[in-house]
Amino acid sequence: MQPTEFVQGLFQYIQDSPTPFHAVKNSEEILSLNGFQRLDEAASWQGLEPGAYYVTRNRSSLIAFNLTQPPHPHQTLRMAGAHTDSPCLKVKPQPLITTQSCIQIGVEVYGGALLNPWFDRDLSLAGRLTWKPQQGPIQSGLIDFKRPVAIIPSLAIHLDREANDNRSINKQNDIVPLALMAHDDITPDFHALLKEQLDMDCPANQATSILDFDLFFYDAQPPAQVGFNKEFLTSARFDNLLSCYALIKAATMTEAPQDFMIVLNDNEETGSVSTTGAQGSFLQSVLERLYPEPAHRTRVTSRSLFISVDNAHAVHPNFPTKYEGNHLPKLNRGPVLKKNANQRYASNSVTSGLFKLICEKAEVPVQEFVMRNDMACGSTIGPLTAAAIGVPTVDIGIPSLAMHSIRETVGNLDGWYLSEVLSGFFQEQQEQLRRQDV
């Protein structure tokens, strides 16, 4: 696969994945088209034959794996993970607010969003609805308006002369999308608006009433390739759908893959404490079903490697002093090894060394990042996964600018570099992953 092909596929994947639910749905479709069989978490997996499989939880997280032979104690799993969620605005349960003949939609800030860029953007709405059908159990399905339905207008400079010098944002009062005009002070039925979209997206729904929803606003502007030489990519949700897409493509396009597993967790941006997060039981449960004997499972995880894939900070040309001077990742210079003395990242010299060898074999450049001592460091699913299952782990990601903004920027080559490295990792021979202390 060439860089241009990767970028085209990435753009389509992100455009079709405005929420974690949509990202998992699109991942399922790619996996199914490439021979992966769907497993039901509620069904028995006894007698699982060698092959490629995937399973979802809450339809917002996914685990896929390829087994070349039945599980055995000497097996090595090439494991890699990312997360499906991104910082955004989540709709409140009773969201409609009428003020000065304007109808707004109340939201909660999901994750550590950079809020300033959310003003004056065309916002669309997508997510999951749960409804009561005419008969039978409750059902759920996805909707996506796919067009601008709201905006958060800025206050004019004439009314806030300090806006360019000293602007603060009140999450409760200032970040409230404007969606409708009120007529005769009659508040519309929000559920009726959702039902209209449901009828378009799921024509056979037979819903009698909307029971509840998980809805998120997102930037309606599509991804773009920018720069005089088209060297930059800009889009919402690069953190961390770019990593998800690279994992899915590597899982489906690797020639002669070995035993591997990919993990796409939800709720990383809010701390990973959920049934679908890295602090939940999803991965542990799948491993227990593949390797029921605890000692057997420990032998497998101890000889395996987990690559935690989440975006890294590229050096910003306007703010170079915000970075550690000897560790300045650049766009289009390859994936970044992330390290932290206080275990905010799970990399160590052995796992980092293994990753460098994988990059060398794939002929892909690699960079390194550490945070300044006087600044707080973020984290990933890496340390959480390492602690939960005891697997040696390395934290990596492609360099990016404006992380957690409504629109982020990456290099046009780095996603392709990442997919090449992951593909090489998934077909790496077992002996190349062995570690030995001397």
Side-chain angles (χ1 to χ4, degrees), residues 73-104:
H74 303 290
Q75 199 162 22
T76 297
L77 271 181
R78 295 139 192 86
M79 306 173 69
H83 62 88
T84 58
D85 61 323
S86 303
C88 62
L89 304 180
K90 184 176 183 180
V91 177
K92 293 179 177 179
Q94 301 294 331
L96 295 191
I97 304 166
T98 302
T99 306
Q100 302 301 322
S101 297
C102 292
I103 298 177
Q104 298 169 281

Side-chain angles (χ1 to χ4, degrees), residues 34-329:
N34 286 273
F36 281 72
Q37 303 174 56
R38 186 178 186 275
L39 295 174
D40 186 346
E41 197 176 12
S44 172
W45 295 5
Q46 189 172 4
L48 204 62
E49 297 292 331
Y53 303 90
Y54 71 89
V55 59
T56 67
R57 178 178 284 190
N58 190 46
R59 306 310 288 267
S60 65
S61 63
L62 177 148
I63 293 177
F65 53 91
N66 179 73
L67 299 178
T68 61
Q69 52 187 314
H72 60 90
H74 303 290
Q75 199 162 22
T76 297
L77 271 181
R78 295 139 192 86
M79 306 173 69
H83 62 88
T84 58
D85 61 323
S86 303
C88 62
L89 304 180
K90 184 176 183 180
V91 177
K92 293 179 177 179
Q94 301 294 331
L96 295 191
I97 304 166
T98 302
T99 306
Q100 302 301 322
S101 297
C102 292
I103 298 177
Q104 298 169 281
I105 298 181
V107 294
E108 294 182 275
V109 178
Y110 178 93
L114 185 63
L115 293 177
N116 269 314
W118 279 82
F119 288 93
D120 307 315
R121 305 289 302 190
D122 296 339
L123 303 178
S124 191
L125 188 65
R128 179 174 65 179
L129 301 184
T130 299
W131 64 85
K132 178 183 177 181
Q134 294 178 1
Q135 57 184 359
I138 64 171
Q139 298 178 13
S140 294
L142 305 186
I143 65 168
D144 182 4
F145 282 82
K146 295 184 180 180
R147 60 182 178 85
V149 297
I151 192 169
I152 306 173
S154 294
L155 182 63
I157 188 68
H158 314 78
L159 305 177
D160 185 7
R161 294 292 183 179
E162 302 299 317
N164 290 331
D165 301 314
N166 186 27
R167 183 185 190 185
S168 61
I169 299 174
N170 185 293
K171 295 180 181 179
Q172 175 66 19
N173 300 326
D174 300 345
I175 302 293
V176 189
L178 172 63
L180 291 160
M181 289 296 297
H183 299 285
D184 299 325
D185 293 326
I186 298 175
T187 302
D189 184 345
F190 187 60
H191 282 193
L193 296 173
L194 300 180
K195 178 64 167 61
E196 290 180 12
Q197 189 62 41
L198 178 64
D199 289 340
M200 289 187 284
D201 292 351
C202 304
N205 66 82
Q206 296 185 332
T208 59
S209 62
I210 305 297
L211 297 174
D212 214 331
F213 52 78
D214 296 294
L215 294 174
F216 305 86
F217 279 107
Y218 70 92
D219 182 13
Q221 183 179 354
Q225 194 159 359
V226 304
F228 285 109
N229 294 321
K230 299 183 178 180
E231 295 166 302
F232 311 109
L233 309 179
T234 63
S235 176
R237 303 183 298 284
F238 275 150
D239 178 14
N240 194 23
L241 291 189
L242 191 155
S243 301
C244 293
Y245 181 71
L247 284 168
I248 292 293
K249 294 306 290 183
T252 55
M253 298 190 68
T254 299
E255 297 182 3
Q258 303 294 315
D259 299 321
F260 71 78
M261 177 178 287
I262 63 172
V263 184
L264 305 184
N265 286 122
D266 192 8
N267 302 131
E268 190 275 345
E269 299 292 1
T270 57
S272 295
V273 181
S274 69
T275 60
T276 57
Q279 291 198 69
S281 62
F282 192 23
L283 175 57
Q284 182 71 24
S285 173
V286 170
L287 290 173
E288 287 175 354
R289 299 181 77 166
L290 294 179
Y291 311 99
E293 169 58 42
H296 178 175
R297 188 166 60 252
T298 298
R299 294 174 70 180
V300 171
T301 55
S302 68
R303 70 175 69 244
S304 299
L305 176 67
F306 186 90
I307 300 180
S308 168
V309 191
D310 202 345
N311 287 17
H313 294 291
V315 60
H316 197 302
N318 295 345
F319 307 97
T321 58
K322 291 290 187 179
Y323 302 79
E324 213 291 326
N326 288 336
H327 304 82
L328 303 172

Side-chain angles (χ1 to χ4, degrees), residues 376-393:
C377 182
S379 192
T380 70
I381 67 170
L384 302 176
T385 302
I389 65 173
V391 62
T393 301

Side-chain angles (χ1 to χ4, degrees), residues 331-400:
L331 300 179
N332 286 324
R333 302 289 180 84
V336 179
L337 268 165
K338 301 191 287 186
K339 299 181 179 181
N340 181 260
N342 295 300
Q343 291 299 295
R344 300 295 289 170
Y345 303 129
S347 309
N348 59 43
S349 64
V350 176
T351 59
S352 296
L354 286 170
F355 184 75
K356 288 178 180 179
L357 286 178
I358 296 168
C359 289
E360 181 180 301
K361 189 170 181 179
E363 299 182 342
V364 167
V366 63
Q367 309 180 78
E368 292 181 296
F369 173 83
V370 296
M371 185 66 79
R372 288 174 56 104
N373 284 321
D374 53 2
M375 296 178 68
C377 182
S379 192
T380 70
I381 67 170
L384 302 176
T385 302
I389 65 173
V391 62
T393 301
V394 60
D395 267 293
I396 66 103
I398 73 159
S400 63

